[in-house]
Amino acid sequence: MKAIVTVVGKDQVGIIAGVCNTLADENINVLDISQTIMQGYFTMMMVVDLSACATPFDRLSAKLSAFGEGRGLSVRIQREDIFDAMHKI
Amino acid sequence: MRDISNIMDTLRMIDQQHLDIRTITMGISLLDCVSEDPRRCCDKIYDKICRRAANLVRTGENIESEFGIPIVNKRISVTPMALVAGSCDTKNYVPFALAMDRAAKDCGVNFIGGYSALVQKGMARGDEYLLQSIPEALASTQIVCSSVNVGSTRAGINMDAVARMGRIIKETAHLTRDTDGLGCAKLVVFCNAVEDNPFMAGAFHGVGEADSVINVGVSGPGVVYHALQQCKGQSFDVVAETVKKTAFQITRMGQMVASEASRRLDTPFGIVDLSLAPTPAVGDSVARILEEMGLEVCGTHGTTAALALLNDAVKKGGVMASGHVGGLSGAFIPVSEDEGMIAAALDGTLTIDKLEAMTCVCSVGLDMIAVPGDTSAETISAIIADEAAIGMVNSKTTAVRIIPVEGKTVGDMVEMGGLLGSAPVMPVHGASSADFIARGGRIPAPLQSLKN
């Protein structure tokens, strides 16, 4: 199963490293990353593969948002289908 | 390559513009629960609802967490209870409502609809007893919703039923006076009721439906409002196009959630309802969309035209986004549940008469309107008759959900709580309609040709 991880917040050292470490701990493979500064905010999107991850989705989601909370970042993971549904015919 | 700005758009819609799935409603047929013994019938009703809907709430929550889209309500609709209970050897139908209430609470849903009767042409024994029991049933349950269909384009309007509904609404308001007539917020009087509506309080599971089915209602007035803010001063062609595109995106999300819920619950997918359903939250209002089109206050001249455009564009955008569209599918204008409508009513610009005109071009009708407690049953019946006539002649669904609040008068506020919101008590005309309602009988079905 593929999912999209999004990170939005104040730019700082170590965001990508931190998110990637968290994902690596859960055996999640990163397929694609794109990152930009939008309206002054660090904005990152990652496409990830969850097929080798054993952690239930809600726990994973909680772990990522916990990582973000201490750093003033909004980090979340959602199944990619929702974005495909809205933006592709 | 995925576009990061598309992804951020979706997140903004969810975070800042109140985009959500308003309801996943599981329709359940109770036709196989009939029994001569009322207690046995109640047991079968309870068992079947619990069996079918056992995983509904959990599945909804899982989808919510995995896709990151809020699903506000999980609900159940059942076969009109008058049809199921009609076989029982009893005149007291309240226990059936209690069985529904208990089953729904045990499943964890927040409303169950279907304490209903279809009496557009006449009343069978079961319909009689059900109507009699509505006030007590709504007063003695918490999450049961009731609806009665009193007219249709094919059958005309059953004015005997209309007269009774006025009295039933008054009695319900009286029995639930401690909560400002909350019982009336759970009671809808329809013309041309639909069988697959996922929205409360008017949901029931029609007899033409499968044994159980998943219907989904989307929302998104906030998203449409935000999109229209980007086209200030531009022509209506641009407005219509913008609403269509937005409705398409919202509905695609609803379709995806519906398919996912249907697969996980192993229950056939029924329909997606395209209605723009507001909430009392600021920024989630249909009235504010109409005002964004250039009206100073919702309810002023031009409101009906603005609503007609909105309603049509939402349907045009939504139809292509979903495999099956159904339910009520239009813009809702419930006064108490819409922050902009509340403000417009307080301002005095939005009146019941204007709301009635607006219901000619949108879904559904005079919805969540508080009126003075001393409004007579006949006046309420006459309001229902007017609304049913609009539905009957225009071949559309119309409904009345009106709350005569005991002890309150024009200008007072009524707090319904939660999604039901709060409403200012609105004035009704003082001149009597009593002799009109006393006539009884039926208003014949209208011609479907020679339309003018």
Side-chain angles (χ1 to χ4, degrees):
Chain A
M1 182 173 77
K2 283 189 198 168
I4 307 280
V5 176
T6 48
V7 183
V8 181
K10 193 174 166 294
D11 198 8
Q12 57 200 274
V13 173
I15 300 180
I16 301 181
V19 173
C20 286
N21 275 330
T22 312
L23 294 173
D25 288 348
E26 298 291 345
N27 217 13
I28 294 169
N29 190 26
V30 178
L31 304 173
D32 188 12
I33 298 185
S34 74
Q35 181 250 301
T36 181
I37 302 290
M38 257 185 191
Q39 291 153 4
Y41 284 101
F42 173 90
T43 307
M44 176 168 76
M45 172 208 81
M46 303 167 110
V47 182
V48 298
D49 180 4
L50 298 180
S51 47
C53 169
T55 312
F57 203 98
D58 51 345
R59 287 244 304 277
L60 191 60
S61 172
K63 194 171 168 185
L64 283 166
S65 50
F67 168 84
E69 260 162 35
R71 296 164 179 82
L73 298 167
S74 153
V75 184
R76 48 182 151 180
I77 182 163
Q78 287 160 279
R79 282 181 52 172
E80 66 169 353
D81 319 39
I82 182 173
F83 303 105
D84 287 345
M86 282 189 90
H87 299 287
K88 281 187 192 168
I89 295 183
Chain B
M1 182 60 201
R2 217 170 271 279
D3 188 345
I4 194 165
S5 67
N6 283 349
I7 288 182
M8 290 305 149
D9 271 352
T10 303
L11 295 185
R12 241 191 318 275
M13 287 182 194
I14 295 169
D15 287 348
Q16 293 160 26
Q17 300 162 20
H18 303 278
L19 177 60
D20 55 43
I21 299 296
R22 185 50 46 83
T23 179
I24 296 183
T25 303
M26 179 182 265
I28 302 172
S29 168
L30 297 181
L31 288 173
D32 53 0
C33 298
V34 294
S35 167
E36 268 183 40
D37 176 6
R39 281 182 60 183
R40 171 104 183 93
C41 187
C42 286
D43 289 347
K44 285 167 95 173
I45 289 169
Y46 175 84
D47 289 345
K48 179 149 188 196
I49 294 172
C50 290
R51 198 167 61 242
R52 289 282 177 189
N55 295 323
L56 175 63
V57 172
R58 193 159 46 85
T59 304
E61 284 166 358
N62 286 345
I63 293 175
E64 213 169 338
S65 133
E66 286 176 34
F67 292 91
I69 171 88
I71 301 172
V72 183
N73 300 302
K74 293 91 185 170
R75 294 168 169 174
I76 296 169
S77 64
V78 297
T79 309
M81 194 48 74
L83 299 176
V84 183
S87 63
C88 293
D89 194 12
T90 177
K91 291 181 178 176
N92 178 15
Y93 281 12
V94 176
F96 298 105
L98 292 169
M100 285 168 71
D101 201 48
R102 204 156 41 89
K105 283 175 183 162
D106 288 354
C107 292
V109 297
N110 65 350
F111 275 122
I112 180 166
Y115 197 73
S116 306
L118 310 175
V119 298
Q120 58 270 28
K121 207 162 175 191
M123 281 187 232
R125 201 182 66 118
D127 302 322
E128 282 276 353
Y129 296 150
L130 186 118
L131 258 63
Q132 252 170 38
S133 71
I134 287 174
E136 195 189 334
L138 291 177
S140 52
T141 57
Q142 273 84 51
I143 56 175
V144 171
C145 293
S146 175
S147 55
V148 177
N149 192 60
V150 297
S152 76
T153 301
R154 286 180 174 278
I157 302 172
N158 180 349
M159 290 299 289
D160 293 322
V162 168
R164 279 190 66 174
M165 288 316 296
R167 298 194 293 271
I168 287 168
I169 288 172
K170 284 286 283 184
E171 198 184 331
T172 305
H174 178 69
L175 290 182
T176 56
R177 60 190 178 279
D178 295 343
T179 49
D180 278 347
L182 183 64
C184 297
K186 298 180 285 177
L187 173 58
V188 185
V189 189
F190 274 117
C191 176
N192 287 325
V194 292
E195 301 204 323
D196 52 7
N197 164 24
F199 286 103
M200 296 297 169
F204 63 85
H205 184 72
V207 288
E209 297 281 320
D211 193 55
S212 62
V213 71
I214 291 292
N215 296 323
V216 165
V218 298
S219 176
V223 185
V224 175
Y225 173 67
H226 186 83
L228 286 186
Q229 281 183 316
Q230 313 303 313
C231 42
K232 276 195 197 301
Q234 301 192 56
S235 75
F236 283 115
D237 310 75
V238 178
V239 172
E241 197 58 26
T242 306
V243 175
K244 268 159 59 180
K245 283 183 184 155
T246 313
F248 177 83
Q249 290 188 313
I250 297 170
T251 311
R252 286 279 283 191
M253 174 110 70
Q255 174 69 38
M256 186 207 66
V257 168
S259 310
E260 196 65 27
S262 153
R263 189 180 61 76
R264 293 185 190 196
L265 291 162
D266 195 21
T267 304
F269 158 62
I271 56 98
V272 174
D273 187 315
L274 305 179
S275 298
L276 275 188
T279 67
V282 172
D284 205 16
S285 153
V286 169
R288 298 297 184 202
I289 298 176
L290 305 177
E291 291 173 358
E292 184 57 38
M293 286 191 209
L295 304 168
E296 189 181 351
V297 180
C298 176
T300 189
H301 304 293
T303 303
T304 311
L307 185 57
L309 178 149
L310 174 68
N311 200 50
D312 183 64
V314 165
K315 285 182 204 171
K316 284 174 177 161
V319 158
M320 189 181 152
S322 170
H324 297 280
V325 171
L328 299 168
S329 286
F332 288 165
I333 50 170
V335 175
S336 77
E337 299 173 7
D338 186 309
E339 169 268 324
M341 295 281 174
I342 296 170
L346 281 171
D347 180 73
T349 307
L350 186 63
T351 60
I352 290 187
D353 290 343
K354 188 62 184 179
L355 280 162
E356 186 183 307
M358 290 160 73
T359 65
C360 299
V361 298
C362 84
S363 152
V364 153
L366 293 174
D367 197 12
M368 290 303 286
I369 293 170
V371 295
D374 59 4
T375 308
S376 72
E378 290 81 6
T379 295
I380 292 173
S381 291
I383 292 171
I384 294 170
D386 280 344
E387 200 54 41
I390 291 171
M392 174 182 77
V393 169
N394 294 301
S395 304
K396 72 185 287 293
T397 307
T398 49
V400 173
R401 184 160 53 143
I402 195 167
I403 307 141
V405 191
E406 273 200 19
K408 298 225 167 166
T409 185
V410 177
D412 292 344
M413 284 298 284
V414 182
E415 293 294 333
M416 294 290 159
L419 275 183
L420 296 172
S422 60
V425 176
M426 296 172 82
V428 296
H429 294 293
S432 169
S433 318
D435 291 346
F436 176 76
I437 294 302
R439 286 177 186 271
R442 282 156 49 195
I443 295 182
L447 265 184
Q448 290 302 302
S449 57
L450 309 176
K451 287 245 176 196
N452 267 311

